[in-house]
Amino acid sequence: MKSVRVVVVGAGVIGFSTAVCIAEALPFCSVTLLAEKFSPDTTSDGAAGILFAAEFPDIPMERQKRWFKYSFDHLLAIAQSKHSPEAGVMLTSGWQIFRDIPADKKPFWSEFVIGFRVMTDSELKRFPDHTFGQAFTTIKCECSSYLPWLEKSFRKAGGQVERRKLNSLEELINSYEIIVNCSGLGSKTLVGDNKVYPVRGQVLKVEAPWLKHFIRDGDGKTYIYPGIHSVTVGGTRQEGDWRLQADEGDTKGILERCSGLEPSISKAKVLSEWVGLRPGRRNPRVEKELVQLQGRRVPVVHNYGHGGWGVTLAWGTALDALGLVRQCLHEMPLQANL
């Protein structure tokens, strides 16, 4: 008999990674993942899913390094296994280029990716507007395959999946002892977090099978990421913008900027347009709290607010969330564990 009932709210890459970690590590817990939207309708589904990171201002560097390393190592193991095509996880090499020399020429994540080095002058020649670049091999994780693969892993570990819209945490307290909140931008209304805000991203999928290397402008607004079935080109980072429909002006701008870096993009056929709202936050929220719900103090573990770095940090923050769930279990009254 499984004793402690745990619910994970949210079916994006953060929710499913967290649910899998909990279900696999704590077989005595009964784990349910609850969400209104599942793949292919999550923000994660449109993510380019290339692994490298930005620095968060208020999170200790050792913790950020751990998040990145655990995620990279987890996905690298998949990329090098027979599961790679089904899971949508592959190795990819390319360049990140800068117009001005960045303050941090060797970012913290450079020690975890493969073969990181500064680009040579001859490599930079093809990018005349850019003065500095980094070459490395990293991982591309395509969530349209990876999320269904994670769901399969979750169900195999005994997890249950339920599709429904949740209006408040109160709806959960009679069915579950521990709540894990991975609702991304939904946390704005679900837990009243005004520090989370939308960062609108628009990308295009194009047919350009001749492109094998990624190119990313260091400003994060122009990128070309070859994938398994198509090439993702983007993008936009529009803070506070809730529009979910594709914008013609954005599409035109993306194609123009990407053609500036890779002229052959102008010959690529546009297959689809996609818009998603990243859960922006100054720092991701990965912590636990006791929330007063209908006169009871209920342990809630939060894991959301990763902005555009959800795929990059998902497994690392999921392991942290698992640690926080373990702490909740230790702190629970004894009768709840019987």
Side-chain angles (χ1 to χ4, degrees), residues 189-205:
T189 49
L190 194 62
V191 297
D193 185 348
N194 291 321
K195 293 177 185 169
V196 68
Y197 56 89
V199 182
R200 182 180 177 275
Q202 180 166 322
V203 298
L204 314 174
K205 293 273 197 309

Side-chain angles (χ1 to χ4, degrees), residues 231-256:
V231 178
T232 301
V233 298
T236 66
R237 299 187 71 79
Q238 296 148 326
E239 297 191 357
D241 189 335
W242 290 87
R243 290 175 305 142
L244 277 168
Q245 63 279 15
D247 182 290
E248 208 178 305
D250 286 338
T251 295
K252 194 165 168 265
I254 287 165
L255 290 171
E256 277 173 12

Side-chain angles (χ1 to χ4, degrees), residues 16-35:
F16 262 118
S17 298
T18 305
V20 169
C21 281
I22 296 167
E24 289 184 348
L26 305 174
F28 54 86
C29 287
S30 165
V31 188
T32 302
L33 184 139
L34 187 151

Side-chain angles (χ1 to χ4, degrees), residues 39 45 85-89 142-150 228-229:
S39 181
D45 279 284
E86 189 197 348
V89 181
E142 309 202 329
C143 282
S144 53
S145 299
Y146 184 57
L147 288 181
W149 187 78
L150 279 179
I228 297 172
H229 304 294

Side-chain angles (χ1 to χ4, degrees), residues 43-287:
T43 302
S44 301
D45 279 284
I50 290 259
L51 265 76
F52 52 88
E55 230 174 277
F56 295 107
D58 310 313
I59 299 213
M61 183 43 68
E62 281 315 303
R63 193 180 193 198
Q64 296 190 53
K65 281 185 173 181
R66 190 172 73 240
W67 286 348
F68 188 92
K69 184 187 185 325
Y70 288 170
S71 295
F72 193 90
D73 291 351
H74 163 75
L75 289 170
L76 183 63
I78 297 170
Q80 294 174 340
S81 77
K82 66 180 181 186
H83 303 294
S84 164
E86 189 197 348
V89 181
M90 59 182 259
L91 285 166
T92 183
S93 302
W95 307 284
Q96 178 167 229
I97 52 177
F98 299 83
R99 288 172 193 274
D100 303 305
I101 296 176
D104 194 3
K105 291 184 190 175
K106 203 167 182 290
F108 77 88
W109 47 266
S110 60
E111 63 184 283
F112 306 117
V113 297
I114 299 164
F116 182 94
R117 61 178 176 79
V118 171
M119 286 168 71
T120 63
D121 290 343
S122 62
E123 285 176 303
L124 273 168
K125 255 190 195 136
R126 63 173 289 198
F127 307 114
D129 295 335
H130 296 75
T131 59
F132 182 81
Q134 301 153 338
F136 53 96
T137 297
T138 185
I139 292 163
K140 187 175 194 303
C141 173
E142 309 202 329
C143 282
S144 53
S145 299
Y146 184 57
L147 288 181
W149 187 78
L150 279 179
E151 180 172 348
K152 212 162 123 183
S153 305
F154 177 59
R155 288 180 185 272
K156 195 174 159 193
Q160 307 282 313
V161 173
E162 185 186 337
R163 182 191 290 264
R164 74 171 159 108
K165 182 170 170 55
L166 189 66
N167 295 305
S168 74
L169 297 183
E170 271 92 353
E171 295 172 31
L172 302 172
I173 61 167
N174 293 323
S175 307
Y176 304 100
E177 280 83 43
I178 297 173
I179 299 169
V180 184
N181 170 32
C182 303
S183 63
L185 192 55
S187 294
K188 195 171 184 65
T189 49
L190 194 62
V191 297
D193 185 348
N194 291 321
K195 293 177 185 169
V196 68
Y197 56 89
V199 182
R200 182 180 177 275
Q202 180 166 322
V203 298
L204 314 174
K205 293 273 197 309
V206 303
E207 193 172 29
W210 59 89
L211 294 180
K212 303 296 181 194
H213 291 80
F214 71 80
I215 306 170
R216 179 185 196 263
D217 192 303
D219 68 7
K221 291 178 185 163
T222 306
Y223 45 81
I224 299 162
Y225 295 138
I228 297 172
H229 304 294
S230 61
V231 178
T232 301
V233 298
T236 66
R237 299 187 71 79
Q238 296 148 326
E239 297 191 357
D241 189 335
W242 290 87
R243 290 175 305 142
L244 277 168
Q245 63 279 15
D247 182 290
E248 208 178 305
D250 286 338
T251 295
K252 194 165 168 265
I254 287 165
L255 290 171
E256 277 173 12
R257 294 195 313 273
C258 289
S259 297
L261 297 182
E262 176 54 71
S264 68
I265 286 286
S266 60
K267 299 290 182 194
K269 178 186 174 190
V270 176
L271 301 171
S272 61
E273 299 171 311
W274 181 88
V275 176
L277 305 178
R278 307 172 184 96
R281 206 173 182 277
R282 181 176 163 89
N283 304 282
R285 187 181 184 197
V286 188
E287 63 186 21

